[in-house]
Each structure stands twice: as structure tokens, then as C-alpha cells.
Amino acid sequence: MTGRSVDPARVTALIVGVERYAAGPRWTLPGPVRDALRFRAWLRSAGVPDTNILLHLAPAESPAGGPAKEPDGRSGAGGGHGPADHETLRRVLVHELPARQGDVLWIWWGGHGVLDREEHQRLYCADASGADRRNIDLESARRRLSSDALPGFAVQNWVVDACQTFEERHNEPVSLPDGGLPAGQRLRVHRQNVMLAADRGQRAANDPVRGHGVFSDILLRELSALPDDLAPDPEALFVAVRARFDRLRAEGNGTQLPVLRLYRAGHEEILPPAAPTPPPTNGFRPVGARTGGGLLRVVEALLAYPLMLDRDERQAMVAELDPVLVARMPRHAVPRTDVMGILRTVRRSPEGLRDLFRAVTLLDDDPDRAAELDGAIGEFLAEVPPGP
């Protein structure tokens, strides 16, 4: 069965976009709902009936306090979608999908995620809170839908735009609750193509200004070139997506590495194969071949702050630093390049990185981001002592 020979009536999609969480405003993530609606629009343009699209959203409020808007200006909060809480999504995966018939299944998920200590990616549901981080275990869900619990749907395309940061770095006061699903007897008939926005330990970048996930936007652009291909070649699609990310990395505008996992008759193949990362220098003393992870982690931790994406807010942060250092600081309009210049400069002072931490947290006191930045600075300082 080729992608262009698929009957749209035999295609089913579960689309999840979570922007608002029970944990409160600090978890709000602009973008997943818009990305979900764009993906639904692509399916519709290819002829997939609305009745075959299971849309579950938790939209953030608009700046005016009203419901989130769809890309065409219509309300995205009324009657066109179901909720994205744990009970609802579990019911869809356990009961509603197996009751359907078809050849191709798409599962699209955008929102917050974390990699647990068993190396399973957990996807937070809308009712996740600090006291009860309700989630769906991605690996458990994949195994369920590759068993006889799901008749048909031999081709399954999974798209997950969520972080795979390590659970232990979030310093949560309680452990993750179980997010597993019951599985049936194993089969050898399903072909599952699981495309992840980021590799293990990495954040999935989000553009709060444009209101989309960087990975989702790139993937949707590639899919838009395949308007009639409801089961595209996963490897060709991944190569195109990865090429765009390679260009972003070459320009200094991104570090996340999308991953494609192919599951065939019990065999798993990962693209690209894991490769050691060369130690970065970026104007610092070489980090050494042990890990090189400290510098990258500091950069990612800083870019996780919304203020770092705004030139004026970055300038307000820099104004809190030592004027002698600021006078010699190279500046750049591109956020990532500017952050690298700031780090390169403050690194020259014995207390520069800690002063940077105080300046950032003075303007944004989010405790989760502060914990990650503090840990990142500590890791980097353990690798390379301060100095010119």
C-alpha cells in the first residue's frame, strides 16, 4: 500500500494539543493547539472525514481572556474538540481506537513531556499538577497499539512534539504516577513510525512569539508538500525534517535532534544512529572529551526562559550585570548567538555565571527553570573552572 493509494476513509487520527495544565500558568505552553489544528487541516485537505479525526485540546486563554482561536479565526474552544485530561485520553486509547476500523493511524501529540528513569517518555495530560503529574506512557501506548488490542491499522505514524528532559533534573517533590496502558497479545503485523521532536535528555524548542513548536512547524511544512500522501515514506520525511534542523544548527539557532524510531515485527531501528557529540568550544576553553554536556545544558537552560527570546528583555537582564563586563560584551539579534556572547563574556569573571543566574532569576522567578539553570551552571563549572 503506497501513501497515495490510501483511501482517506480508512485513515483515523488522534490529535492532542495541550497548552494549559492544572499545574497553573507556569506550565502554560503556547503552540500545541495551533499545531494540532494545522495538522487537522492537512488531514482534511487530503480528504480524511471529520468523523475520523479525534481532536483533544486544552487551549490556553487568549491575551484578552477568551477562548483560543483557530488559524482561520474561528473559536477553537467550542464543540469541535474533546478534553485532553488523563481519563479522556486513556479512554480513547483503550476503548475508542480499537472500536474503529482502518488501514492508517496517525497519532499527533504536542505538549509537555519528560523522560523517566526507565527511559520511557511520559506525556503530561491537561490535568497534570505538581501533586499529581498525570500522564500517558508513550512506550506503553505504542505497545498497546501494536498488539491485538488494535485490529487493523497496520501502518501507524506517531508524531510527538514534547521534551525528553531527564525526570531527575526537574526536582519534583513527588514521583511520576503510572501512565501505563493494558496491552494485548503481541503481533507482527503493525509498522509503527514514531517521530520524536528531540533526543533523550533534550528539550523540544517552542516559539512563543509565533505560537508553534519548532519541530511541529517544520514537519507541517514538509507535509504540506505531500497534500495527497496520507502514508508518506517515514524515512524520506524524516530526512527532509532533519535537513531543516541541520540548517538551523549550522546557523546557531537550535540544538535539538529529532529522532525517528521504526518498529517492524518486534525489531526497533533508530534514525539517526546515536553518535558521540564533539566537545564544543564556542569561545570557551575546550570542555574536554568526557561529556561536553555542561555548556550545552547552560545554553538550553537559558533559552528556556521566554525573556531570552526577546531582545529588549535580554537587554534588561544584561543591565543587571557588571558594567565592566557588559562594556566588552558582543551582542547579536539572534537569541542563541546573543546568549553565547553573553556566556563567553561573563565566563571571564570568577562569579560571572552566578551573577548571570541572579540577573535572570531576578526577572523571571520560575522555580523549575531556576533549578535547571542552577544545575546546568554547576555541571559546567565542574567540567571547566572559571577563567579567560
Side-chain angles (χ1 to χ4, degrees):
M1 177 178 60
T2 63
R4 296 183 186 276
S5 67
V6 173
D7 179 358
R10 301 282 295 172
V11 176
T12 292
L14 168 60
I15 306 176
V16 179
V18 187
E19 295 183 340
R20 186 185 69 252
Y21 293 84
R26 67 188 181 91
W27 276 43
T28 300
L29 181 67
V33 167
R34 184 178 182 86
D35 295 334
L37 294 171
R38 287 173 64 194
F39 181 63
R40 181 181 66 170
W42 178 76
L43 292 172
R44 283 172 160 178
S45 71
V48 178
D50 278 341
T51 53
N52 288 16
I53 301 174
L54 307 175
L55 184 66
H56 291 267
L57 306 177
E61 288 188 339
S62 67
K69 297 293 184 180
E70 294 195 19
D72 61 5
R74 294 175 294 154
S75 173
H81 65 79
D85 60 282
H86 180 264
E87 181 180 355
T88 299
L89 294 174
R90 191 179 191 279
R91 184 179 66 247
V92 172
L93 290 164
V94 173
H95 299 291
E96 292 188 28
L97 286 181
R100 293 175 173 264
Q101 296 182 346
D103 300 318
V104 177
L105 174 66
W106 281 89
I107 294 184
W108 176 288
W109 191 300
H112 284 305
V114 68
L115 192 68
D116 71 16
R117 295 173 186 268
E118 302 301 319
E119 297 288 318
H120 289 195
Q121 188 172 11
R122 303 292 196 94
L123 304 174
Y124 289 125
C125 303
D127 52 346
S129 66
D132 187 0
R133 292 178 289 156
R134 308 194 76 184
N135 68 88
I136 297 295
D137 184 327
L138 175 61
E139 177 63 14
S140 175
R142 184 197 65 77
R143 289 179 180 176
R144 173 174 178 79
L145 299 187
S146 68
S147 73
D148 66 355
L150 183 72
F153 296 110
V155 176
Q156 300 178 14
N157 295 317
W158 300 60
V159 176
V160 179
D161 194 347
C163 294
Q164 286 208 79
T165 49
F166 298 133
E167 174 194 359
E168 59 268 28
R169 289 186 175 175
H170 289 254
N171 299 313
E172 295 290 347
V174 296
S175 61
L176 277 166
D178 179 51
L181 304 178
Q185 297 295 317
R186 288 175 290 179
L187 297 178
R188 296 172 58 88
V189 298
H190 296 98
R191 289 183 290 129
Q192 294 180 314
N193 314 304
V194 183
M195 197 175 299
L196 308 174
D199 203 350
R200 63 186 299 274
Q202 290 187 330
R203 294 180 181 274
N206 196 67
D207 187 335
V209 176
R210 295 185 176 91
H212 60 66
V214 174
F215 169 75
S216 292
D217 182 58
I218 288 175
L219 180 59
L220 286 163
R221 290 173 184 271
E222 293 299 330
L223 287 175
S224 68
L226 307 168
D228 302 318
D229 195 349
L230 287 166
D233 180 335
E235 295 184 55
L237 180 61
F238 177 75
V239 167
V241 170
R242 182 62 185 267
R244 287 179 178 258
F245 272 96
D246 288 343
R247 289 194 291 272
L248 287 176
R249 289 169 60 81
E251 296 166 359
N253 293 330
T255 60
Q256 74 190 73
L257 293 171
V259 175
L260 174 63
R261 296 177 180 268
L262 303 174
Y263 297 88
R264 303 286 187 270
H267 172 72
E268 177 187 0
E269 181 179 353
I270 303 176
L271 299 178
T277 303
T281 56
N282 299 297
F284 295 82
R285 195 180 304 165
V287 172
R290 290 180 299 161
T291 63
L295 173 60
L296 178 61
R297 189 179 167 193
V298 173
V299 173
E300 292 299 323
L302 287 169
L303 291 174
Y305 280 87
L307 71 89
M308 286 297 182
L309 302 178
D310 183 274
R311 183 187 301 185
D312 292 338
E313 289 193 290
R314 287 200 306 276
Q315 180 57 39
M317 182 276 295
V318 167
E320 299 296 325
L321 300 175
D322 183 348
V324 176
L325 289 176
V326 172
R328 296 177 291 171
M329 184 177 291
R331 304 303 305 278
H332 199 282
V334 176
R336 188 176 192 82
T337 307
D338 200 24
V339 166
M340 291 303 303
I342 294 169
L343 282 173
R344 184 180 300 117
T345 302
V346 301
R347 171 70 182 79
R348 296 169 183 164
S349 168
E351 293 297 319
L353 286 170
R354 292 301 175 189
D355 289 340
L356 177 62
F357 174 83
R358 285 188 284 271
V360 172
T361 54
L362 176 66
L363 297 176
D364 185 335
D365 61 353
D366 180 87
D368 292 337
R369 285 192 282 263
E372 172 59 15
L373 180 58
D374 184 59
I377 290 174
E379 180 180 344
F380 178 63
L381 290 176
E383 292 176 348
V384 184

